[in-house]
Amino acid sequence: MVDIAETSEPRQRTTALSSGATYGRETAVHRLLNQRKSAFTNLQPCRVLCMTWNVNGQLPTEDLSTVLAVDDRSSDVICVGFQELDLSPDTLIRGDSSREILWLEKVKEGLPEDTPYTLLKHVRLVGIMLVVYVRKSLVSMISEVHVGNVSTGIMGMLGNKGGVSVKFNIDMTTIAIINSHLAAHPEMVDRRNQDYRDIYTRMRFSNDEGDSLKGSDIIIWMGDLNYRLLSEDVSGEELRAMAERWEIPLMLKSVLCRYLDLMIVLHCSRF
């Protein structure tokens, strides 16, 4: 559920105050307003589908319709994140890629046929691309659409690793979608953690250099995060069997929470 009517104004006033007593009064007011929220807000569901795919530099040949329509109910927002869209040295240096258009067309072809969608925005950083479509009936409710990107690759500057984001408002709810590709290899745990921190803290959007992820009500983070399960934790066959039985969340809490790096990124205590 996305609360599209709850104002963030009380929270902004609270964080701007320096007086402890006044801060306490404002917090109490905010708490009372939350208790009566149903009297002056309107809750509307918003169904968001996210797909992430490391395409390893391949040309688009797969039909995406089977993954962009997971059941009989169409999504309100469809987000598709690609990594390693183009592995050519020219793309790494110059940033241009002819494959961007090819993959954009492939996503468009895979959209559910029974629901009209509009391309809200797409953003690409070398081989990391995020495409966001919204249901046409929602367009009038959407505002403040902006994009951003952060490079964390070679020397912390090149865009072979990093993240891209599309941030927008649905009525009064601010949503940020992030697609990221973090450092590879099992021994690079600290580097992956730092990539995550850098993307979160350095992300700025096209409308304002001061506009960051911190102002978002909802953040959806996806991508090729490159965190690994060790073979002594669970075998590949066991993992695939658990996925088919939809038991992955239970396994994540019991296994992944033992690793500090995964706790930081996945917040597995929330499962």
Side-chain angles (χ1 to χ4, degrees):
M1 296 286 288
V2 175
D3 186 345
I4 62 170
E6 181 183 0
T7 177
S8 60
E9 205 172 312
R11 182 181 62 221
Q12 292 173 344
R13 287 200 300 266
T14 298
T15 55
L17 295 170
S18 59
S19 167
T22 306
Y23 178 90
R25 286 196 297 272
E26 291 290 331
T27 301
V29 170
H30 186 52
R31 184 168 57 249
L32 291 172
L33 286 173
N34 275 332
Q35 292 174 357
R36 300 185 57 192
K37 184 168 56 176
S38 60
F40 53 85
T41 61
N42 179 28
L43 295 178
Q44 296 289 339
C46 181
R47 198 167 195 236
V48 181
L49 183 147
C50 295
M51 186 199 85
T52 176
W53 187 9
N54 186 323
V55 299
N56 193 29
Q58 302 299 307
L59 291 172
T61 57
E62 300 290 335
D63 179 11
L64 300 184
S65 61
T66 56
V67 292
L68 296 184
V70 293
D71 54 33
D72 294 335
R73 298 190 316 167
S74 297
S75 301
D76 297 306
V77 182
I78 294 178
C79 311
V80 182
F82 295 107
Q83 305 85 40
E84 297 189 359
L85 195 77
D86 194 330
L87 300 175
S88 66
D90 187 59
T91 298
L92 179 62
I93 296 172
R94 299 179 55 188
D96 298 329
S97 174
S98 60
R99 298 191 179 187
E100 176 177 337
I101 296 177
L102 298 177
W103 280 105
L104 285 173
E105 286 298 319
K106 183 58 66 173
V107 173
K108 184 178 180 180
E109 292 171 5
L111 294 172
E113 296 181 353
D114 59 346
T115 304
Y117 287 94
T118 296
L119 177 63
L120 182 67
K121 207 76 172 178
H122 83 277
V123 55
R124 182 177 61 84
L125 173 66
V126 186
I128 308 168
M129 185 166 76
L130 175 61
V131 186
V132 179
Y133 274 89
V134 298
R135 192 190 291 258
K136 277 192 174 181
S137 59
L138 285 179
V139 170
S140 62
M141 301 166 59
I142 294 177
S143 63
E144 297 295 328
V145 182
H146 305 289
V147 300
N149 67 78
V150 174
S151 300
T152 63
I154 300 170
M155 298 180 65
M157 298 174 61
L158 291 185
N160 60 314
K161 295 291 189 292
V164 295
S165 180
V166 175
K167 184 178 178 182
F168 56 97
N169 291 347
I170 299 184
D171 271 0
M172 300 186 72
T173 297
T174 302
I175 301 176
I177 313 293
I178 302 171
N179 174 36
S180 64
H181 193 185
L182 308 186
H185 308 300
E187 69 276 9
M188 298 295 286
V189 171
D190 290 341
R191 181 67 256 173
R192 281 188 283 279
N193 292 345
Q194 189 59 49
D195 286 351
Y196 163 73
R197 296 186 190 99
D198 286 344
I199 293 170
Y200 182 77
T201 58
R202 290 168 46 195
M203 185 70 72
R204 295 295 182 271
F205 292 90
S206 51
N207 60 315
D208 183 358
E209 283 298 314
D211 187 13
S212 68
L213 290 168
K214 295 180 181 179
S216 306
D217 298 303
I218 298 171
I219 296 177
I220 299 175
W221 196 304
M222 62 178 177
D224 184 352
L225 305 183
N226 265 316
Y227 286 97
R228 316 297 173 92
L229 286 174
L230 301 178
S231 58
E232 59 263 29
D233 291 324
V234 59
S235 69
E237 292 76 13
E238 291 172 326
L239 188 61
R240 282 187 285 272
M242 294 178 76
E244 291 177 357
R245 298 192 300 266
W246 291 93
E247 295 177 356
I248 293 298
L250 298 175
M251 183 275 294
L252 284 175
K253 186 167 185 178
S254 62
V255 176
L256 302 188
C257 284
R258 291 190 280 121
Y259 301 95
L260 178 61
D261 53 300
L262 293 175
M263 290 176 68
I264 293 172
V265 177
L266 298 178
H267 301 286
C268 50
S269 61
R270 300 183 182 180
F271 282 108

